[in-house]
Amino acid sequence: MELAYIPSPSTGVVHLGPIPLRGYAFCIIIGVFAAVWLGNKRWIARGGKPGTVADIAVWAVPFGLVGGRLYHVITDYQLYFGEGRNWVDAFKIWEGGLGIWGAIALGAVGAWIGCRLRGIPLPAWADALAPGIALAQAIGRWGNWFNQELYGRATDLPWAVEISDGPNRVGGTYHPTFLYESLWCLGVAALVIWADRRFKLGHGRAFALYVAAYCAGRAWIEYMRVDEAHHILGLRLNVWTAIAVFVLAVVYFVVSAKLRPGREEVVEPDRGPAASDPAAADAKGAEDKGAEDKAADARAAGAGAVAVKAGAEAAEVEGAGAAAPAAEPAAAPKADLAKPAAAAEKAPAQAGGAADAPGADKL
C-alpha cells in the first residue's frame, strides 16, 4: 500500500458552458507568456527595445507549434495512421503530443524570419530567450500531468504519480518523469542565467548552453519512460536525438567562442528613448521640425541679404554707366576741330608730291 503519491487530475478538461478549458493548453500558453516575459527583460538588459521579443515571438510560436506537432506525428505515426486509427486525430493538438525537437527547429525558422524583418541578429535574440524557453518547458510539462501521460517505470516512492486505468495505460504509481523534466528545466534556466552573467555569453552561446544542458537531462529522463516509442539499438529514438543534439550544441559553443569571442556590442539598431517612447518621438519630431524651420528662415534671410547687396552693386554700376555717356559729347567737338587741321596740313604735302611726280616734266 502506497503511503504517499502525487494524485493525477480526474480529467484534463473543464467545460465552461460550451467552451472546453484544457489543462494541457493552459500550461502551454502560460509557458509561452513566461518565456516572452523573461526574454523581454533580458533583451532590454542587453540594449534591445521593449516589445521586440514579443514581436518576433509572433513568428516563432506558431512555427514552433507546427514543428512540434509534425515531429510527434512523424515519429509516432502508428498512433494516427496505423490499423484502426483515425488520421484526423493528428490535428488534435489539445490532446497532447508536441516534440520539443521539432518545436525548437521550426520555431527557429519563424524567429529567423522575424529577426530578418527587424534587422536583428538571430543568435543575440536566441541568447536572450534561452532561459525563458527552459522556463516555458518547465511549465508546459505539467500539461502531461493533466493528460496522465509521459510517466516512467512503476515505483512506490513517496513522490510517485498515480495513473488511473484508461486507454493504452494501466493504473498504478509510476515515476513522474514530467516532474523530473520540469525540475531539470528550472535548473537549466538558472544555469544559463548564471553563466551568461558570469561569462558574458554571446553570439548564440547562451542558447547553445541551454540546448546542451537540456539534452543532458532529457537523455536520462527519456530512458526512464515506458510509453510506446521507436527503438534503435536498444535505445529510444529521443535518447539518440538528445545525444546528437547535445554534441552539435557543444561543438557550436566551442567553435563560436574561438571565432567570435565576447558578446555583441549592439543587438538592435537605432537604440534610443525616442524609439520606445511615442511621446518622446513626437517631441523629437517637433524639435527637428523647429530646427528645420529655423534653418529655412536663416537660408531665406541669407538669400535676401545677397539679393539686397546684388541690387546695390547693380545700382552703382548703372550710375557709373550713366556718367560715362554724359562726358562723351564734350570731347566730340575737340575731335571734330582736329580733323580740318589735319586735312589742311595734308593738302600742301599732296601738292608738293604732285610737282615732284614724273608727269610734271612733260608739262
Side-chain angles (χ1 to χ4, degrees):
M1 178 178 179
E2 295 83 6
L3 298 179
Y5 55 83
I6 301 173
S8 292
S10 58
T11 178
V13 58
V14 176
H15 290 274
L16 185 62
I19 303 175
L21 305 178
R22 303 183 183 277
Y24 184 88
F26 266 115
C27 291
I28 297 297
I29 294 171
I30 294 172
V32 169
F33 276 99
V36 172
W37 169 78
L38 181 57
N40 184 65
K41 291 177 64 69
R42 286 172 50 80
W43 183 253
I44 295 174
R46 283 175 171 244
K49 302 174 184 177
T52 297
V53 169
D55 291 342
I56 298 176
V58 170
W59 288 91
V61 171
F63 274 74
L65 290 175
V66 172
R69 189 60 175 177
L70 282 176
Y71 181 88
H72 168 72
V73 172
I74 291 172
T75 56
D76 291 314
Y77 61 89
Q78 74 281 356
L79 300 177
Y80 307 100
F81 303 101
E83 185 178 354
R85 301 288 185 172
N86 186 359
W87 62 271
V88 177
D89 292 341
F91 297 96
K92 296 179 180 179
I93 190 173
W94 56 87
E95 294 183 353
L98 289 175
I100 186 62
W101 315 111
I104 294 296
L106 205 56
V109 175
W112 176 80
I113 295 174
C115 287
R116 289 276 295 178
L117 294 176
R118 296 293 294 263
I120 294 171
L122 176 60
W125 185 84
D127 283 342
L129 199 66
I133 297 176
L135 178 60
Q137 289 178 259
I139 298 172
R141 272 305 175 202
W142 283 90
N144 303 130
W145 177 62
F146 281 100
N147 287 349
Q148 297 194 43
E149 59 186 3
L150 304 188
Y151 46 85
R153 304 183 185 96
T155 182
D156 57 358
L157 292 171
W159 56 84
V161 62
E162 182 188 31
I163 301 298
S164 60
D165 289 318
N168 301 319
R169 67 175 185 249
V170 178
T173 55
Y174 299 86
H175 277 283
T177 51
F178 73 90
L179 176 60
Y180 299 160
E181 186 168 337
S182 179
L183 295 176
W184 183 269
C185 287
L186 289 177
V188 171
L191 171 66
V192 174
I193 292 174
W194 171 81
D196 193 28
R197 290 178 178 175
R198 175 67 177 80
F199 302 106
K200 304 296 182 183
L201 301 177
H203 302 287
R205 288 188 289 280
F207 184 80
L209 176 61
Y210 146 72
V211 172
Y214 171 75
C215 290
R218 178 61 183 268
W220 68 266
I221 294 172
E222 184 75 20
Y223 186 75
M224 297 179 64
R225 284 168 50 175
V226 295
D227 54 301
E228 186 178 358
H230 294 286
H231 288 72
I232 300 175
L233 299 177
L235 292 178
R236 294 167 64 96
L237 174 61
N238 281 335
V239 174
W240 288 110
T241 304
I243 294 173
V245 176
F246 172 84
V247 172
L248 291 175
V250 172
V251 169
Y252 178 88
F253 190 97
V254 174
V255 173
S256 174
K258 291 182 178 180
L259 296 180
R260 306 185 71 181
R263 180 186 286 179
E264 299 89 344
E265 294 293 334
V266 178
V267 296
E268 189 168 4
D270 299 329
R271 174 65 175 153
S276 57
D277 187 357
D282 294 341
K284 188 177 186 304
E287 182 181 349
D288 293 341
K289 188 176 185 306
E292 292 178 0
D293 293 342
K294 290 181 180 180
D297 294 342
R299 288 194 296 270
V306 171
V308 171
K309 184 178 180 180
E313 292 177 353
E316 292 178 1
V317 171
E318 184 178 355
E328 286 178 3
K334 202 178 283 187
D336 294 338
L337 292 175
K339 288 180 180 180
E345 291 178 356
K346 189 176 180 180
Q350 289 177 349
D356 295 336
D361 293 341
K362 294 180 179 180
L363 293 172

